[in-house]
C-alpha cells in the first residue's frame, strides 16, 4: 500500500532526526582518558608528533567503541585499527616523496578499495573508511618521523583504548568470563517478551524486527567466542543451548505474531524469567500453565517447557543426549553437535561479502568514493597546496554510501564543523598555556561516545579533537580554513555523489533486496520440503539467515528513502518490497509451525511452484531487462486444500506487484 504523502520530504527532515540511546558512561570515561592524556603526554615529553598520532589513533578507535561484549569490541575496534595503521604507513610513505598531482590517482585507488569494502559489512566498511582517512592525513599532515614509526604510534593509540575497554566497562551480570555473552542472550529473551506483549497491536512488526536484531547480536557474541577455533567450554555449550532454546521460542512467537490475536500478559512472563535467570544466575521459577488453543500457542508452550528443561541444567547434555538419541532442543541442534553440517551455513556470510566487493554494487561504491576523493584532492592542491589534506579528509566521512543519506550527512557535517570551530576558537581565547589543546581533545573524546546519536554532534566532537591535533602539529590558524575547506568538500560531495549512475538506488539497494529475496526463497524451500519428524535445526538456521539479510536490506532501503534523488519516481518502493518479503518469512514461519502440528503438507510440485515464483521476483529485481521472470512471477500458484499455505501465497501475490513494477 502506498504511503501517505508527508508535509516535509524525508530527505529534508532526516538531518533533524535524533536517536534516543542510553548514555554509555563507561565509554565516556574511556574517551576522556584517551586522546587528551595521550596528546598531553607527547607535549610534556617533548614529542608532540607522537602525541598527535597516538591521539589520532585513539580518536579513530573511539568512533568504533560501541556497546557489546569484550570480544565484539576487540573485533570492531581492532580490525579498523589495523587498517588505520596500514593507511598511515601508506600516507606517510607518499609524504616522503612530496606533495604533487600524482597524489590524486594514488588517493583514487585507495578510495576505490575503501568504497568497494562498503558492501562487505559494517566492520569492513569502517576499516576501509579509516584506512582512507589515515592515508590522507599521513600524506598531508606535517609530522616528523619515519613512516613505520608513525603507523606504530597510531596503532599504539588504538591499543590504548582497547586496554581501557578491558578496564572500564559497565557492570556485568553474574557469569564470569561469559558475562557479556549472557547479557546478549538475556536481551533476546527481553526482546521476545516485548514482542509477545505487542502481538495484535500496531507495533508488532517493529517488535519482531527488534527481536531479530537482538538474535543477531547474541549470535555474533557467541561466534566471536570461537575465533580461535578451539573446543567450546561446558559453559559456552550450555549458553549455546539456551540461545537455541530462545531461537525455538522465537519461531513459535513469530507464528503468534502472524495470528495477530492479543495474548494474556502472563505469556510474556516466561521469557522475562529466563532473562532474569541469565543475569542473576538464579532459577527462572514457575512458568504459566500450557495452552493448546491454537497450533502456534501449543508450539510456543512446548518450546517454553523445553527451555525450562535447559535452564534447569547446570551442565550441557552429552552430544548423544540423555537417551542416546540426537540432542535436540525444540528442533534446534546445537552448533557443537552438527559441526560438519551447520558450520558451512554459518560460514557462508563470511565469504559472500568478499565476492560482492567485486560485483556491480562494489564497483559503483568504489567509483563513487574514489571519484569524490580524487576531485577533492585535486581542488585542494589547486587552492592550498600546503594544507590540502583537510578537504579530502572531510569528503571521506561524507561520501561513504552505507553510512546514511548523503544530503543529511552533508548538512550535519557543515553544521557540526562550524560549531566545533567556534567552540575551539572560544577555548583558545579563554585558555592559555601548552596544555589547553590536550584539554579540548579530552573533552572531545569524552563527548564522542555520547555523540553517536546524531552526526552533527559527532562532527563537533571530531572537529574539536582534530583541531587540537592540527594546532599542536604547527598550524594554529587552521580554524577558519577548516570552515572554507569543509564547505568546498560538502559542495563537491553533493555534486559528485548525485551523478546519475552513482545516485541510482537500484544499484545501491537492489542487490541487497535481491539477496534478501533469495535468502527468503531458501528458507521457504526448507519449510516446504522438511518432512515430519525431520530435524528442524537447518530450518532455524535458514530462517536466521533470511531475517539477517532482510535486516541489511531494510537498512539500505531506509537510507535510500531519505536520499535526495531526482529520479526517485523511476525506482520501486524498496521499503515496501522489504516489508512484503519480511511478511513472507513470517507467513512461512507460521506455516512451518502448522505443518509441525499435522497440517496437510504441499506436494513437491506445489512447493516448487511457490519457490520458483519467489525466485522469479528476485530475478526481476536483479535484471529488469529480463523478459521471462516478471511473467512467471505473475502466476502465483494456488495450493488447493492446503490452508497452511494460503497466507504464503497471499504475501507472494502482494509482493508480485512491486517486483513487476521494478
Amino acid at each position: 500500500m502506498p504511503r501517505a504523502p508527508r508535509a516535509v520530504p524525508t530527505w529534508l527532515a532526516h538531518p533533524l532526526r535524533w536517536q534516543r540511546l542510553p548514555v554509555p558512561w563507561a565509554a565516556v570515561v574511556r574517551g576522556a582518558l584517551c586522546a587528551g592524556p595521550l596528546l598531553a603526554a607527547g607535549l610534556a615529553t617533548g614529542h608532540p608528533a607522537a602525541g598527535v598520532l597516538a591521539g589520532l589513533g585513539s580518536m579513530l578507535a573511539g568512533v568504533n567503541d560501541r556497546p557489546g561484549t569484550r570480544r565484539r569490541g576487540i573485533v570492531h575496534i581492532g580490525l579498523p585499527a589495523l587498517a588505520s595503521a596500514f593507511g598511515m604507513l601508506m600516507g606517510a610513505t607518499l609524504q616522503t616523496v612530496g606533495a604533487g598531482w600524482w597524489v590524486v590517482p594514488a588517493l583514487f585507488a585507495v578510495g576505490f578499495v575503501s568504497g568497494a569494502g562498503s558492501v562487505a559489512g559494517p566492520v569492513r566498511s569502517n576499516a576501509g573508511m579509516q584506512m582512507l582517512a589515515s592515508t590522507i592525513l599521513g600524506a598531508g599532515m606535517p609530522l616528523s618521523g619515519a613512516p613505520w614509526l608513525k603507523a606504530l604510534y597510531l596503532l599504539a593509540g588504538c591499543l590504548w583504548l582497547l586496554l581501557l575497554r578491558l578496564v572500564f566497562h559497565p557492570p556485568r551480570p553474574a557469569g564470569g568470563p561469559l558475562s557479556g555473552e549472557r547479557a546478549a542472550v538475556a536481551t533476546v529473551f527481553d526482546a521476545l517478551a516485548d514482542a509477545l506483549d505487542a502481538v495484535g497491536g500496531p507495533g508488532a512488526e517493529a517488535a519482531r524486527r527488534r527481536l531479530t536484531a537482538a538474535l543477531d547480536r547474541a549470535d555474533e557474541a557467541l561466534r566471536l567466542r570461537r575465533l580461535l577455533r578451539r573446543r567450546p567450554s561446558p559453559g559456552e555449550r550450555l549458553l549455546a543451548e539456551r540461545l537455541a532454546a530462545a531461537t525455538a521460542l522465537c519461531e513459535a512467537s513469530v507464528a503468534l505474531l502472524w495470528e495477530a490475536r492479543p495474548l494474556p500478559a502472563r505469556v510474556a512472563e516466561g521469557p522475562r524469567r529466563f532473562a532474569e535467570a541469565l543475569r542473576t544466575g538464579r532459577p527462572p521459577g514457575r512458568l504459566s500453565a500450557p495452552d493448546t488453543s491454537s497450533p502456534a500457542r501449543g508450539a510456543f508452550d512446548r518450546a517454553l517447557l523445553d527451555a525450562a528443561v535447559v535452564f534447569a541444567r547446570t551442565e550441557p547434555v552429552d552430544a548423544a543426549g540423555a537417551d542416546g538419541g540426537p540432542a535436540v532442543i525444540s528442533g534446534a541442534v546445537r552448533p557443537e553437535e552438527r559441526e560438519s553440517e551447520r558450520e558451512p551455513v554459518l560460514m557462508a556470510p563470511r565469504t559472500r561479502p568478499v565476492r560482492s566487493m567485486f560485483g556491480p554494487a562494489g564497483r559503483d561504491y568504489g567509483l563513487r568514493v574514489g571519484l569524490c576523493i580524487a576531485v577533492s584532492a585535486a581542488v585542494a592542491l589547486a587552492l592550498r597546496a600546503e594544507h590540502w589534506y583537510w578537504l579530502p579528509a572531510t569528503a571521506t566521512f561524507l561520501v561513504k554510501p552505507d553510512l546514511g543519506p548523503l544530503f543529511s550527512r552533508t548538512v550535519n557535517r557543515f553544521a557540526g564543523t562550524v560549531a566545533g570551530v567556534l567552540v575551539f576558537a572560544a577555548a583558545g581565547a579563554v585558555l592559555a598555556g601548552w596544555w589547553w589543546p590536550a584539554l579540548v581533545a579530552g573533552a572531545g573524546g569524552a563527548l564522542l561516545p555520547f555523540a553517536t546519536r546524531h552526526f552533527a554532534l559527532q562532527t563537533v566532537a571530531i572537529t574539536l579533537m582534530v583541531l587540537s591535533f592540527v594546532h599542536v602539529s604547527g598550524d594554529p590558524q587552521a580554524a577558519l580554513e577548516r570552515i572554507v575547506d569543509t564547505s568546498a568538500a560538502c559542495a563537491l560531495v553533493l555534486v559528485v555523489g548525485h551523478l546519475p549512475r552513482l545516485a541510482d538506488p537500484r544499484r545501491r539497494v537492489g542487490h541487497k533486496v535481491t539477496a534478501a529475496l533469495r535468502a527468503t526463497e531458501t528458507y521457504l524451500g526448507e519449510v516446504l520440503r522438511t518432512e515430519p519428524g525431520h530435524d528442524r535445526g537447518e530450518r532455524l538456521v535458514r530462517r536466521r539467515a533470511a531475517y539477517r539479510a532482510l535486516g541489511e536490506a531494510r537498512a539500505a532501503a531506509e537510507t535510500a528513502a531519505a536520499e535526495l534523488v531526482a529520479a526517485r519516481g523511476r525506482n520501486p518502493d524498496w521499503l515496501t518490497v522489504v516489508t512484503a518479503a519480511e511478511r513472507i518469512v513470517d507467513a512461512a514461519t507460521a506455516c512451518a509451525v502448522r505443518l509441525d502440528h499435522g497440517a496437510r503438507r504441499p506436494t513437491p510440485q506445489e512447493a516448487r511452484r511457490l519457490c520458483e515464483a519467489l525466485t522469479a521476483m528476485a530475478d526481476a529485481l536483479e535484471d529488469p531487462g529480463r523478459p521471462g521472470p516478471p511473467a512467471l512471477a505473475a502466476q502465483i500458484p494456488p495450493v488447493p486444500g492446503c490452508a497452511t499455505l494460503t497466507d504464503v501465497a497471499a504475501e507472494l501475490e502482494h509482493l508480485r506487484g512491486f517486483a513487476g513494477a521494478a
Side-chain angles (χ1 to χ4, degrees), residues 139-535:
M141 289 185 71
L143 296 173
S144 59
W148 66 269
L149 192 59
K150 292 182 180 181
L152 189 61
Y153 284 141
L154 188 79
L155 185 61
C158 298
L159 295 179
W160 172 247
L161 184 136
L162 275 177
L163 178 62
L164 290 178
R165 186 181 176 95
L166 297 178
V167 176
F168 294 100
H169 54 80
R172 300 286 191 182
L178 285 170
S179 57
E181 288 75 14
R182 285 179 180 270
V185 178
T187 303
V188 174
F189 284 103
D190 283 332
L192 174 58
D194 293 339
L196 293 171
D197 286 336
V199 170
E205 289 192 5
R208 199 270 304 148
R209 295 187 194 111
R210 290 192 294 269
L211 175 59
T212 299
L215 277 168
D216 287 341
R217 290 190 293 268
D219 181 63
E220 181 188 28
L222 291 184
R223 286 194 197 188
L224 293 178
R225 294 285 308 183
R226 306 178 65 197
L227 280 177
L228 299 179
R229 309 301 298 167
R230 61 179 177 84
R231 182 176 178 82
S233 67
E236 292 172 345
R237 291 167 56 199
L238 183 60
L239 189 58
E241 291 177 8
R242 293 178 175 180
L243 179 59
T247 304
L249 273 169
C250 291
E251 182 181 57
S253 70
V254 171
L256 290 172
L257 288 168
W258 185 256
E259 289 182 353
R261 289 184 289 190
L263 302 171
R266 59 185 175 87
V267 176
E269 281 301 313
R272 296 195 194 280
R273 288 178 181 270
F274 291 141
E276 187 66 18
L278 283 166
R279 293 191 172 96
T280 63
R282 296 193 295 266
R286 299 181 61 182
L287 301 175
S288 60
D291 185 343
T292 58
S293 57
S294 70
R297 184 65 188 276
F300 179 83
D301 284 324
R302 176 190 171 191
L304 192 69
L305 293 176
D306 288 342
V309 173
V310 174
F311 273 80
R313 291 198 297 263
T314 58
E315 294 291 335
V317 297
D318 295 333
D323 58 354
V328 178
I329 305 168
S330 292
V333 178
R334 295 187 302 280
E336 66 270 19
E337 295 163 6
R338 288 187 58 212
E339 190 71 24
S340 62
E341 292 184 43
R342 282 192 64 182
E343 190 62 17
V345 178
L346 296 177
M347 291 290 288
R350 301 180 188 178
T351 58
R352 185 176 63 239
V354 177
R355 294 196 302 266
S356 62
M357 289 177 60
F358 302 98
R363 293 195 298 269
D364 285 351
Y365 280 24
L367 182 62
R368 178 180 181 179
V369 175
L371 188 59
C372 282
I373 297 302
V375 172
S376 300
V379 172
L381 287 169
L383 296 178
R384 194 180 300 111
E386 65 278 8
H387 299 301
W388 61 271
Y389 60 90
W390 185 274
L391 200 154
T394 300
T396 298
F397 293 97
L398 289 177
V399 72
K400 290 286 284 185
D402 59 318
L403 297 180
L406 182 59
F407 177 81
S408 177
R409 291 177 64 83
T410 301
V411 171
N412 286 320
R413 179 73 182 186
F414 178 78
T417 300
V418 172
V421 166
L422 293 177
V423 172
F424 185 84
V430 174
L431 304 175
W434 61 269
W435 50 268
W436 74 267
L439 180 64
V440 174
L447 177 63
L448 190 58
F450 175 82
T452 56
R453 60 196 63 211
H454 197 273
F455 186 60
L457 190 59
Q458 187 180 54
T459 301
V460 172
I462 292 176
T463 300
L464 290 175
M465 300 170 76
V466 173
L467 287 177
S468 301
F469 302 149
V470 172
H471 183 91
V472 171
S473 64
D475 190 9
Q477 305 298 325
L480 181 60
E481 294 178 359
R482 299 294 82 86
I483 295 180
V484 176
D485 289 346
T486 299
S487 303
C490 291
L492 287 172
V493 167
L494 281 175
V495 173
V496 177
H498 283 99
L499 292 177
R501 177 185 176 88
L502 302 183
D504 186 4
R506 182 186 298 277
R507 302 187 66 85
R508 295 188 292 110
V509 184
H511 75 287
K512 289 187 177 294
V513 177
T514 300
L517 290 179
R518 297 198 186 285
T520 300
E521 185 275 331
T522 301
Y523 170 61
L524 179 61
E526 188 71 26
V527 168
L528 300 181
R529 299 185 186 106
T530 301
E531 295 298 329
H534 188 271
D535 167 49

Side-chain angles (χ1 to χ4, degrees), residues 624-641:
R626 186 182 304 177
L632 177 62
Q635 300 173 6
I636 305 300
V639 188

Side-chain angles (χ1 to χ4, degrees), residues 43-56:
L43 291 172
T45 58
H47 298 85
V52 167
L53 289 169
L56 179 62

Side-chain angles (χ1 to χ4, degrees), residues 37-114:
L38 291 174
L39 184 58
L43 291 172
T45 58
H47 298 85
V52 167
L53 289 169
L56 179 62
S58 69
M59 181 195 76
L60 294 175
V63 173
N64 301 315
D65 188 10
R66 303 297 176 85
T69 64
R70 294 185 180 185
R71 281 173 173 76
R72 185 178 189 272
I74 291 174
V75 172
H76 284 242
I77 296 174
L79 182 60
L82 293 175
S84 299
F86 180 66
M88 178 58 66
L89 180 64
M90 290 191 298
T93 302
L94 292 176
Q95 190 183 59
T96 59
V97 183
W101 289 100
W102 57 269
V103 173
V104 175
L107 291 182
F108 174 84
V110 178
F112 184 87
V113 174
S114 173

